[in-house]
Structure formats: C-alpha cells, structure tokens
Amino acid sequence: VKASTRKVAMTRTAATVHDPAGLIAQVAELEPLCADPLVRHAVASGDPFKVYRSLWWARATFRLRAHRDTLRALLRSRRVFAKPEKEGNYGLGSTDGLGVGLVGRDERDDDGTLIKTRVMEFLGIPVFPLSAHVVSVRQEFGEIVKVWFYARVPLGTGWWLWRCLWTGLAAAAVAASAWSALEAWLRSSGS
Amino acid sequence: VSGAADRGASGTGPARRSLAARAVLAGALWIGFWVLGATLVGALAAIVFVQAHYRGALDPGGVVALGIATALAWALRPRGLFARRRERPEPLSPEQHPELHALVGRLARRMGVAPPDELQLGPRLNASFGALREGLRRRRILALGVPLFAALDEAELTAVVAHELGHERGGDVALGAWAHRTRAALARTLEGLEGSAFWLDLPFRAYGWLFLRVSAAVSRAQELAADAGAAEVAGRAAAWWALRKTAVHGDAWDAYFDLSVCPALERGLRVPLLEGFARFVAEPRRSAEVRKALAAAAAQRPSPGDTHPHVSERLRAVDPARRQDLRDPPLASSAHLLGGAAAAEDVWYSRFVHGRLAPAEWGEAAARGLLPDLGEALAGTPLELSRFTLPDVPGLVARAGALWPSLRRGLNVLSPAAQASAVRRAVSGALAMALAARGWVPELWPGAPLRLRRGGAVAVPDEVVAGLADGTLSAAAYEELCAAWAAAPPPASGDG
C-alpha cells in the first residue's frame, strides 16, 4: 500500500498555518513562531532548510524578540531540520590535497551520530562547504574508514556565510570574465 | 485567453480561436523553458569559448563559468524518455461494470465527444481525464475516485463525468500534456539544482513562478468552462451539489484515508472502506489529530498558482441564485453503478492493495490491530505492560522529556517539545494497554480517538493524557478517575 503521507498541522497564532511537510510535528516549538510571516511562509513551503534560514533572519533582524530563547535553541539544533538523503553515499577523498572531505563534529548524539560538513579541500584546507549531514563514522587509528550518511541538515551559520561570500566572489569573477570576453570579441571583430 | 469564450461546443468560431490561443501559449511556455536553459548554458559557454579562442587561456572566472555551464547542462538533460511506464491498474471493464460504462457512453454521445478508451478507478475523492501516448495513438482515460460513489448520488456523479468530458470537448486534455511536460521539466531541473551553492536554481524558480501564474489562469478558465458544461448536461442543482460535496468531503476523505484507513491496512486489516467513511463523516467527537488535519486543509488559501478556481467562485458560476449553505452536505450513494458498495470495495482493494489482508470490521480494528502494535512498540521500555501502573501516569506525563531516551527509535530528529509530545502519545498508548488488560474493550471508530468501554463507563486515554499535560486535569482528579475506572462494572457478555 502506498499510503499518502500528507502530514498536516496547524497553529493558533495569527491564523491556521498550512504545513504540508508536517514540520510542526517535528519541531513543535515552531507553532508560536509562525506569527512571523516569513517563518509562516517557510513552513508552508515544506522545506525545513528554508525554515531554519527564516529563523536565522528573524534572529538577525531582531524579530520575534519574545521568543529569543526558543530561536537560539532551535538555531543550535540543526538536526531537527533534517531532510532525507537524496543519495545513499557521497564521494569522499582527495588527491594531492585537492578533493572532498568531512569536517566538524557538531551535535553528537547518544547513538553515535553527529553532524559533519562536506567541504571541498585545497591543499588539505577546507575551502568551500557543499552540504552538512547527520552521519556516523567508523574510525581506525584516528582515521575515518567508513561513513554512513543518514540525513541532510542546514549548513552552520559560519559555513553558510562563508559560502555566500564565495558565491558572490564567483559571480563577480564570471561577470568580469564575461566583460573581458566581450571586449576581446569586440576587439577581434573590429580589427 | 478567456474561459467564457470556450463554454460552447468546440468547433464554433470563438471556441476554435480560444483553443488555438491556448495551444500557442502552452507551446510557448514549453519552448520558453528550454530557451531559458539553453540561453544560460550558451552564455556561460560563450565566455569560455571567447576566452579560449581569443586569449588562449581561461582566467578563474572562465573556469567558474565552465563549471557552472556543465552543472546547468547536466541538470537540464532530458530524463525518462525511455523509462518504462508505471503499470496501470486494470481498467473497469464494460462486462463487469455495464451501468457505469452505459452512463459514460450516453453522456459522451450527448456532449459530442468520443467515449474514453478506458475507465479507471482512483483512490481519492476526485476525477480526472487524461491521455497516454501509445505510439501514434492517444489512449484517453477517465478516472473516477471510489469515494465519489459513496458521496454523490447518480445525478451528481453524472455532473462530475460531464465536467471531465467537458475538458475533452474543450481540447484541454490535449493541451494539458504540454503543460505537464513543462512542469515535469521544471521540477526535474529544480530537483537537480536543489541546494545549489551558486543559486543556479533561481532563474528556473522565477520561470516556474511565471509559468504557474500564466498556465494556472488558463487552467482555471478551463475549469469554469467544464463546470458550465456539466451544469448544462446534468442540471444546475446536480452540478452545484457535486462541487459542494467534493470540496467538503474531499478533505474529509483525505483525512479518513491517511489517519484511519492507512493504519488499518498497514496492520494487515481489510476494513469496510465506504462504511468507514460514512462513520468518519458522522463521528460527533473527532480526535485531535483529525480536527487538526481538517483545520489545516481548510487553512489553505487560494494562490495565483492554483489550477482550479476557489470552490466558492465555481459554485457562484454554476448557480448564482443558490445560497451557500455552510453545513456539511449529507453523503449519498451511486455505488450501484459499480454493482453495489461491496463490489466497489472489492474493485478498489484488488487494484490498490497488494498482499494479503485479513477481513475485519471497524469495531475490531483496535483489538486486532492497534493494541498488538502498541504492545510491540512499548516492549522493553518503561511503559511496557508489566512495568506500567495506572497511578504512574501523572508522573510520566510531567517528566515526558526525561523519558524520551528510553522510548526513541532510530535517528533523533525531534525537537524537545516534539519529543515530549511523542512521549505523551506513548503514555496514552500504555494507559490504553493497561485498561484493556483490566477487561476494558477498545474501540477505534474512524475519525474518533481510541476509546475503551467497560459496562457503561468510557475512557479516552488521549484526552486524559492531554488533560494532565495542559493542566486541565489535576493529579488528584486523575486519582479519582482511576478509582471510578476500578469501580466500573465488569463487561457484559455482549461487550466487544
């Protein structure tokens, strides 16, 4: 039987909130926070990452002041905004310091799972964050030999801001390249 | 594109012009998506080409452009062209369901369209008309949800069928395929670019926003035109009630199916589907879960991306003179078109449920399904029947958070408040188990919370635990309740 798993929930804040993904059942603390239109909109989108980011913006812009402690607690708990993995495993490994690796040890749980961030590495230094995951790892002699990916979670604030910076730089680089390519083409077609 | 223009039979001047305009729009929206994708990939590739050609090397921006162009092209690649089609359930044959086929055939002739090639039974309280391409041939399929036969009378079902045939008459079925293709391509691309570090999904999200608004406006006009056709064929009253009932009972059916039928099926029980829906609709004391589900469904506000107009607008368009009654309309039946309610259920189970189910009445669902499940879920925890006593309940509810580690299963992704809520549900289950062990008879009627009866006494564990959690039931009052439960007369021979 393929049961429809449409989960629904409601709040009694400003109005009943449409919650197609059942996020309020997973994070009951969201119910009063849905008084904020951006949070409510994010909940209605069904995307837990959007909800996490809307809470971050609410805190950064001093909205929902009455719920400051709840906001802080939720932003520290990325696990509760988990999404299922799209693929069972990810390619990890590097050659000559260039590759993809896992960094961080956040929100370790009693069952041994923790949150790690998948990053692109250059000269062995984490440069660009790709995604964050709830994982469990098997280590031998201090080296990770096997990783199990269970769920995707939002990037931590530091990594997220770092990625925004890189994205901005990359967009600027592409724009500059486009400009210089246009100039080169115009020069060549004029000559 | 106007919906009013194509309300007449196809073939008339305005209708033909409207169909042509809609066809152009559907094609333009589909082409627009691919033009957008190709333009983005092409612009990025042009940077790379010009740099390599005129300067002999790529700068860092060129390398990034190459990477982004590759990622975009990969996300845009057409998929599923040669994928095997999902197997469809067996259609309703004219031999086994002659009355339904006769009704559809009569209506098709009256509306001047060819009868559908295939009649299918659907799982939800709605209907649809679609087409599948089989080589050069189009196989037109009319699907009617089984709950329609438990909610509408024959005249109202006639209006529903006429509405769907109206889509075929208006050319909507052929055009719908193009809208579907664009939507599927957008969805696949957005899925491929989900969480993109470089916000590559943004142009496609913007196009999706535009596409939904433009195509949904056309789709809403088509719905109003199909409604008008249904009113013309089946009568205004039947079309009005069919719309009203499908709107009201559609949400109820979804809640009933998700919260009552699916759990029973997962427990291996073949429950009476249509009888259960009638009980669900008539249930005076619905569970908190059901009330929440129905309130959330009712909370959905109209959006510019809706493919159907709001039901109030459709009702006004069908019969402006009829007053909108806020009461829930009564259920009717047209199951005789499928050979009766039992035959309709047989057809539904044979098509949608694979695996063996044990026939069970709703009155047995708790004892044969829910309680064994609860016993299994609580085994080895502090709430296990052998370790749980009735006086424990207030203490367990008070320290719900602390109990979570001993009850949790699998990955912990619940917030503290959600954990406490899960513990309270488990305590409620343990209380039900304990009462059942003392001779109380469990009942789980569709839409209602789990109730246990002993003689004339009734206990509702969910309400007791919710009362203790929100403070409306004190520990002292709970003790009195326990005393009353202990004094309840033993079950009469007829109980259960």
Side-chain angles (χ1 to χ4, degrees):
Chain A
V1 179
K2 285 199 171 170
S4 155
T5 52
R6 207 171 63 114
K7 292 177 185 170
V8 283
M10 62 174 285
T11 75
R12 267 174 239 99
T13 48
T16 306
V17 171
H18 180 48
D19 177 16
L23 296 175
I24 294 175
Q26 191 169 319
V27 192
E29 290 86 344
L30 283 175
E31 199 167 322
L33 305 181
C34 285
D36 184 276
L38 287 184
V39 177
R40 195 164 61 236
H41 189 256
V43 169
S45 79
D47 183 347
F49 288 13
K50 273 191 189 168
V51 176
Y52 183 83
R53 216 44 76 195
S54 72
L55 297 179
W56 187 88
W57 280 111
R59 192 173 168 215
T61 52
F62 303 105
R63 287 181 284 123
L64 293 169
R65 282 183 186 203
H67 303 283
R68 209 166 35 194
D69 293 341
T70 311
L71 275 179
R72 192 182 303 131
L74 286 180
L75 288 171
R76 277 187 191 154
S77 177
R78 286 183 282 150
R79 260 173 193 275
V80 302
F81 299 94
K83 276 192 209 181
E85 286 290 357
K86 278 205 280 193
E87 42 195 295
N89 227 327
Y90 295 87
L92 298 173
S94 60
T95 310
D96 297 332
L98 185 69
V100 177
L102 288 175
V103 296
R105 282 190 301 269
D106 297 334
E107 297 183 37
R108 188 180 282 279
D109 196 51
D110 297 340
D111 61 4
T113 60
L114 70 164
I115 291 178
K116 280 190 171 284
T117 306
R118 202 164 59 94
V119 292
M120 280 171 68
E121 294 173 334
F122 184 65
L123 298 176
I125 300 166
V127 176
F128 188 79
L130 296 167
S131 51
H133 303 262
V134 178
V135 301
S136 64
V137 295
R138 194 171 78 210
Q139 289 187 311
E140 284 174 12
F141 308 111
E143 287 288 312
I144 293 176
V145 292
K146 174 86 181 155
V147 184
W148 290 268
F149 291 88
Y150 297 116
R152 290 178 291 155
V153 292
L155 281 176
T157 299
W159 279 123
W160 179 67
L161 290 172
W162 182 245
R163 189 162 91 166
C164 288
L165 178 70
W166 268 106
T167 305
L169 287 174
V174 171
S177 291
W179 180 249
S180 71
L182 185 67
E183 276 186 335
W185 179 71
L186 288 173
R187 259 200 312 275
S188 73
S189 55
S191 60
Chain B
V1 179
S2 129
D6 57 8
R7 282 184 192 176
S10 68
T12 60
R16 202 181 296 142
R17 274 199 299 280
S18 160
L19 183 63
R22 284 182 290 141
V24 168
L25 182 67
L29 285 170
W30 180 75
I31 292 168
F33 168 77
W34 292 107
V35 168
L36 171 70
T39 305
L40 287 172
V41 174
L44 290 163
I47 296 173
V48 177
F49 173 77
V50 171
Q51 281 198 352
H53 189 72
Y54 293 105
R55 293 172 51 180
L58 295 184
D59 66 12
V63 174
V64 174
L66 177 64
I68 295 176
T70 310
L72 260 183
W74 181 251
L76 282 164
R77 75 194 187 282
R79 276 158 277 181
L81 291 179
F82 304 104
R84 273 188 61 191
R85 280 217 176 104
R86 212 173 43 186
E87 225 170 84
R88 296 200 303 282
E90 198 188 321
L92 299 171
S93 70
E95 295 76 28
Q96 284 177 316
H97 307 283
E99 284 193 62
L100 183 62
H101 273 271
L103 173 76
V104 174
R106 255 196 328 270
L107 282 171
R109 275 193 299 281
R110 196 169 156 197
M111 296 179 74
V113 295
D117 302 309
E118 195 174 305
L119 289 188
Q120 281 282 358
L121 202 62
R124 299 186 63 194
L125 204 151
N126 60 16
S128 65
F129 201 123
L132 275 182
R133 193 153 287 287
E134 290 180 340
L136 294 175
R137 198 166 166 270
R138 229 166 43 105
R139 190 162 183 79
R140 295 145 57 257
I141 301 168
L142 172 64
L144 297 167
V146 74
L148 287 172
F149 296 88
L152 310 182
D153 63 23
E154 190 172 333
E156 292 155 358
L157 190 79
T158 301
V160 170
V161 175
H163 172 100
E164 297 307 328
L165 294 174
H167 281 305
E168 171 71 348
R169 185 172 69 173
D172 311 343
V173 178
L175 295 181
W178 287 95
H180 174 73
R181 275 184 200 114
T182 315
R183 211 172 289 136
L186 266 169
R188 277 196 305 266
T189 306
L190 286 173
E191 194 194 347
L193 296 173
E194 191 204 357
S196 160
F198 293 100
W199 303 316
L200 299 181
D201 51 335
L202 289 185
F204 296 98
R205 284 195 191 282
Y207 189 81
W209 181 88
L210 175 78
F211 169 78
L212 275 183
R213 270 150 188 77
V214 175
S215 66
V218 175
S219 170
R220 287 196 296 272
Q222 291 171 349
E223 292 301 326
L224 289 175
D227 284 346
E232 185 188 304
V233 172
R236 280 179 190 278
W240 195 92
W241 278 109
L243 271 175
R244 176 96 177 90
K245 285 185 179 179
T246 46
V248 171
H249 296 312
D251 290 340
W253 174 270
D254 288 346
Y256 162 66
F257 192 77
D258 288 351
L259 302 174
S260 298
V261 177
C262 286
L265 296 176
E266 281 159 10
R267 291 172 188 135
L269 302 178
R270 187 193 193 279
V271 285
L273 203 62
L274 302 186
E275 180 210 315
F277 183 50
R279 280 184 177 276
F280 181 93
V281 170
E283 174 60 47
R285 201 171 160 190
R286 288 175 170 163
S287 69
E289 205 180 15
V290 168
R291 288 199 306 270
K292 273 188 177 186
L294 293 176
Q300 290 187 50
R301 296 278 162 257
S303 125
D306 288 346
T307 55
H308 287 58
H310 192 265
V311 70
S312 57
E313 186 187 344
R314 296 177 71 182
L315 290 170
R316 267 197 310 276
V318 166
D319 192 350
R322 190 176 290 271
R323 197 173 62 84
Q324 292 210 23
D325 193 341
L326 291 176
R327 284 170 303 178
D328 284 359
L331 293 175
S333 176
S334 48
H336 63 277
L337 292 168
L338 289 173
E345 288 191 13
D346 284 345
V347 174
W348 188 85
Y349 274 108
S350 69
R351 276 156 181 77
F352 293 106
V353 183
H354 307 290
R356 296 186 63 169
L357 297 177
E361 294 301 320
W362 279 108
E364 305 168 299
R368 287 178 57 187
L370 179 63
L371 291 192
D373 261 17
L374 279 173
E376 205 176 300
L378 299 177
T381 74
L383 300 180
E384 179 175 55
L385 192 55
S386 59
R387 295 159 74 182
F388 176 88
T389 61
L390 291 185
D392 294 343
V393 173
L396 291 169
V397 172
R399 52 188 179 83
L403 206 57
W404 172 247
S406 54
L407 290 175
R408 59 173 277 198
R409 297 271 194 274
L411 198 63
N412 183 14
V413 290
L414 295 184
S415 70
Q419 290 171 8
S421 171
V423 170
R424 287 197 290 272
R425 278 197 302 277
V427 172
S428 166
L431 177 57
M433 296 281 295
L435 289 172
R438 286 163 175 76
W440 290 66
V441 179
E443 290 176 356
L444 186 60
W445 297 109
L450 174 66
R451 287 190 278 247
L452 294 107
R453 285 182 195 277
R454 190 170 143 153
V458 180
V460 186
D462 278 355
E463 289 176 4
V464 171
V465 171
L468 285 168
D470 63 23
T472 51
L473 181 69
S474 66
Y478 174 76
E479 264 180 50
E480 283 173 26
L481 201 56
C482 285
W485 286 342
S493 55
D495 279 3

